[in-house]
Amino acid sequence: MEYKDYYEILGVKKDASQDEIKKAYRKLARKYHPDVSKEPDADKRFKEIGEAYEVLKDPEKRAAYDRLGANWQAGQDFRPPPDWDAGFEFSGGGFTAGNAEDYSDFFELLFGKRPGSRHAHSQYTTFKSRGEDHRAKIFIDIEDSYRGSTRQISLQHPVVDPDGHVRLEERTLRVKIPKGIRQGQHIRLKGQGSPGIGGGPPGDLLLEVAFNPHPLYRVDGNDVYIDLPVAPWEAALGAKVKCPTPAGTVDVKVPPGSAQGTKLRLRGRGLPSRPPGDFYAVLQIVLPPADTKRAKELYRKMEKELAFNPRAGLGV
């Protein structure tokens, strides 16, 4: 997907103030408005200008865009890195004007799937209203879900300084991680969103939970998986082997004749959610290396005595 340089489209510098961005947009919008412009590409340019302004006029979208755009140029093939928005605090972030089809795929990739801010069903009066909810994605360890924990997290959110420039501020919060929480669920922090208007209550902060990559485990819904190495004789003859889990080491019974990829299910030992998930040990048969004279002799003996052809089923 082609990267779009919104600053270049509006003809402003990357450190332009919000007022400078507004003036540049108004000037170009008058020039390329399809109802008055004589330019052959007026309609296309008008849409590009509108999309660029949609991002740069919004301090949150602009700050998020700036995080990604430092090393890109217009026209380059672009894909945002996974979870690029983690730790970034939004108060809104959906389409704040127009419809999805009004903007490019590049815009939708960055902003189109983000839910808009949600107001609780509070009572609005002439003088007061509830503040906006904020949203952010955070990463926790799988073990945090198994045990529950308290973590210190840092979030960045954009502010506009007195000169009209957007900058990032950071705040740190202590967050209680509930036992059994799953990926995609939210932790709600009451009163940590935008302040209310006219004495109205503040909004909340909703933290979307994701798991950090783990060297041993992978998660699918409530279930947790591990690749468990076993020796050929353990798989062939059966054995009881030690298996790590996020809740501690357990003994696992390997049935005789187990094949590569066999899944051993430990019921209820996945994420301790409601209902709890299961834990799966996926057998990975590991061959001993033939790196000594004795090891090579044993392999040759197996070759002669077992008369095993792994390709018999292929007809060769």
Side-chain angles (χ1 to χ4, degrees), residues 82-307:
D83 302 308
W84 64 272
D85 55 347
F88 191 83
E89 185 176 338
F90 288 89
S91 63
F95 292 106
T96 56
N99 299 309
E101 57 267 21
D102 293 334
Y103 305 115
S104 68
D105 292 341
F106 174 75
F107 179 97
E108 186 174 357
L109 184 67
L110 298 186
F111 305 109
K113 303 303 181 183
R114 183 175 308 286
S117 60
R118 290 169 50 195
H119 289 284
H121 298 292
S122 55
Q123 296 297 317
Y124 288 86
T125 70
T126 306
F127 302 103
K128 66 169 61 176
S129 65
R130 182 181 181 275
E132 278 193 300
D133 288 343
H134 287 202
R135 296 172 179 271
K137 179 186 285 188
I138 63 169
F139 280 81
I140 65 172
D141 294 330
I142 296 173
E143 291 83 356
D144 292 332
S145 177
Y146 268 79
R147 305 183 183 101
S149 66
T150 299
R151 290 281 182 254
Q152 185 168 287
I153 64 165
S154 295
L155 300 176
Q156 291 184 322
H157 64 282
V159 296
V160 180
D161 66 22
D163 296 325
H165 295 94
V166 176
R167 59 181 177 84
L168 289 175
E169 282 190 351
E170 187 172 286
R171 65 165 168 163
T172 301
L173 300 166
R174 286 184 65 80
V175 178
K176 185 176 181 179
I177 310 298
K179 183 177 179 179
I181 196 165
R182 304 189 305 273
Q183 292 197 106
Q185 289 188 316
H186 291 82
I187 299 171
R188 182 183 290 270
L189 301 183
K190 289 283 189 180
Q192 293 292 333
S194 294
I197 298 173
D204 300 333
L205 172 60
L206 291 95
L207 301 175
E208 180 186 347
V209 170
F211 289 133
N212 288 312
H214 198 283
L216 296 180
Y217 311 118
R218 55 189 180 275
V219 180
D220 183 7
N222 294 350
D223 299 330
V224 180
Y225 291 77
I226 187 174
D227 289 331
L228 182 63
V230 293
W233 49 88
E234 292 173 330
L237 304 176
K240 183 182 286 186
V241 301
K242 299 289 185 183
C243 177
T245 78
T249 301
V250 298
D251 290 325
V252 172
K253 185 176 181 181
V254 179
S258 293
Q260 171 81 4
T262 296
K263 295 179 181 179
L264 306 181
R265 180 184 182 187
L266 281 68
R267 188 183 298 272
R269 289 183 178 269
L271 296 183
S273 51
R274 297 181 182 178
D278 298 326
F279 185 89
Y280 291 90
V282 184
L283 299 186
Q284 304 294 322
I285 300 175
V286 181
L287 297 176
D291 54 358
T292 66
K293 181 179 179 181
R294 177 59 178 159
K296 292 175 182 177
E297 290 174 352
L298 288 172
Y299 270 113
R300 291 190 182 102
K301 186 176 181 180
M302 289 174 60
E303 179 185 14
K304 293 176 181 178
E305 296 187 5
L306 295 181

Side-chain angles (χ1 to χ4, degrees), residues 4-12 16-29 45-63 65 96-97 102-103 107 111:
K4 289 184 174 293
D5 189 331
Y6 291 136
Y7 293 100
E8 183 178 284
I9 290 171
L10 291 185
V12 297
S17 68
Q18 294 300 97
D19 189 54
E20 289 171 331
I21 287 171
K22 183 187 295 185
K23 289 178 179 177
Y25 166 73
R26 288 176 174 174
K27 179 180 178 181
L28 291 172
R45 287 283 287 128
F46 187 75
K47 287 182 178 180
E48 287 181 337
I49 293 162
E51 178 179 322
Y53 185 58
E54 170 66 18
V55 173
L56 299 185
K57 75 176 182 181
D58 184 326
E60 290 181 348
K61 286 191 180 74
R62 182 180 179 183
Y65 172 76
T96 56
D102 293 334
Y103 305 115
F107 179 97
F111 305 109

